[in-house]
Amino acid sequence: MTSTVPALGTRTAEGSALQAVLLDMDGTLVDTEGFWWDVEVEVFAALGHTLDDSWRHVVVGGPMTRSAGFLIEATGAAITLAELAVLLNDGFEERIGQALPLMPGAARLLAELHEHAIPTALVSASHRRIIDRVLTVLGPHHFDLSVAGDEVSRTKPFPDPYLMAAARLGADPSRCAVVEDTATGVAAAEAAGCRVVAVPSVAPITPAAGRTVVPSLEAVDLAFLCGLMTEMR
């Protein structure tokens, strides 16, 4: 995708241009939402429980405390949340060590943001140990910082991760574009006051005020993200 990139970082009477881009990880940049579900299915099978496929929509995009807690309650499995978190992280880390496919358009978008020196953050509900592994594939140079789910007192769907990322980048949340793939992540970004691009992965997301829904990252480039700020004026 080629585009004409408008001038960035300028201030006008109506406000400033795009100040930062904040990106979710699982299901947004890397095709791993299915990995998490597969690991959850395997772990609970080893515990003697079968997961209902309809639960996948309940646990997708959420923090591990919520998703794992839900599965423990739903199955009645005899395991603590802390014990389950270790098993899930171990299983997921093993899977991404074998293969870590990027979502279509992810590599191009990251390269474009880096080329134009756009402040960029990776904001995920995954734990730090997982983010650091994924960053080796995405390229840590593409991000000015990253925020992990176990580094905030309240992770998605609360706004805390996005507010933290914006603050650390010195950006106004209302001038940040967020790219997310789940309703949980969208809720977090919108609660933080960011403009949101939703790229649904597992479950559909409906358009709304301040939210644009696209079929894939191939529909997103820097000019597109800058346009979100223009719409606010």
Side-chain angles (χ1 to χ4, degrees):
M1 177 185 299
T2 59
S3 63
T4 301
V5 180
L8 303 176
T10 57
R11 302 191 70 85
T12 69
E14 295 79 18
S16 63
L18 176 69
Q19 293 181 351
V21 176
L22 315 178
L23 299 153
D24 174 54
M25 187 176 76
D26 294 301
T28 299
L29 293 177
V30 288
D31 191 6
T32 51
E33 289 292 10
F35 285 14
W36 281 114
W37 179 248
D38 290 344
V39 170
E40 288 160 348
V41 168
E42 291 176 2
V43 168
F44 276 89
L47 295 171
H49 299 275
T50 300
L51 300 188
D52 190 310
D53 196 60
S54 66
W55 296 343
R56 182 175 182 178
H57 291 262
V58 179
V59 301
V60 67
M64 186 170 292
T65 51
R66 189 197 74 184
S67 57
F70 168 82
L71 293 174
I72 290 173
E73 183 176 354
T75 61
I79 189 171
T80 68
L81 186 60
E83 291 169 337
L84 180 56
V86 171
L87 293 177
L88 294 178
N89 276 320
D90 285 348
F92 184 79
E93 196 165 357
E94 180 179 353
R95 283 190 176 249
I96 63 176
Q98 299 169 0
L100 186 56
L102 300 188
M103 298 298 287
R108 174 199 48 77
L109 178 59
L110 290 175
E112 184 179 16
L113 295 175
H114 182 67
E115 178 186 355
H116 291 278
I118 305 301
T120 303
L122 186 65
V123 183
S124 175
S126 290
H127 289 187
R128 170 54 58 187
R129 60 178 284 195
I130 299 299
I131 287 181
D132 286 345
R133 286 292 301 274
V134 174
L135 278 172
T136 63
V137 175
L138 291 177
H141 63 284
H142 286 126
F143 304 94
D144 295 276
L145 60 92
S146 58
V147 177
D150 55 344
E151 295 173 341
V152 289
S153 57
R154 301 187 309 172
T155 189
K156 305 172 187 180
F158 294 100
D160 303 38
Y162 283 113
L163 291 174
M164 175 184 288
R168 290 173 61 187
L169 289 174
D172 179 345
S174 70
R175 296 293 165 175
C176 293
V178 169
V179 185
E180 273 280 359
D181 72 304
T182 66
T184 299
V186 167
E190 291 179 343
C194 303
R195 300 289 288 188
V196 179
V197 179
V199 190
S201 58
V202 175
I205 299 173
T206 58
R211 177 196 312 166
T212 303
V213 181
V214 297
S216 82
L217 286 182
E218 293 182 320
V220 181
D221 64 3
L222 184 50
F224 178 93
L225 297 175
C226 290
L228 300 178
M229 303 299 114
T230 303
E231 293 170 9
M232 297 173 61
R233 300 177 179 178

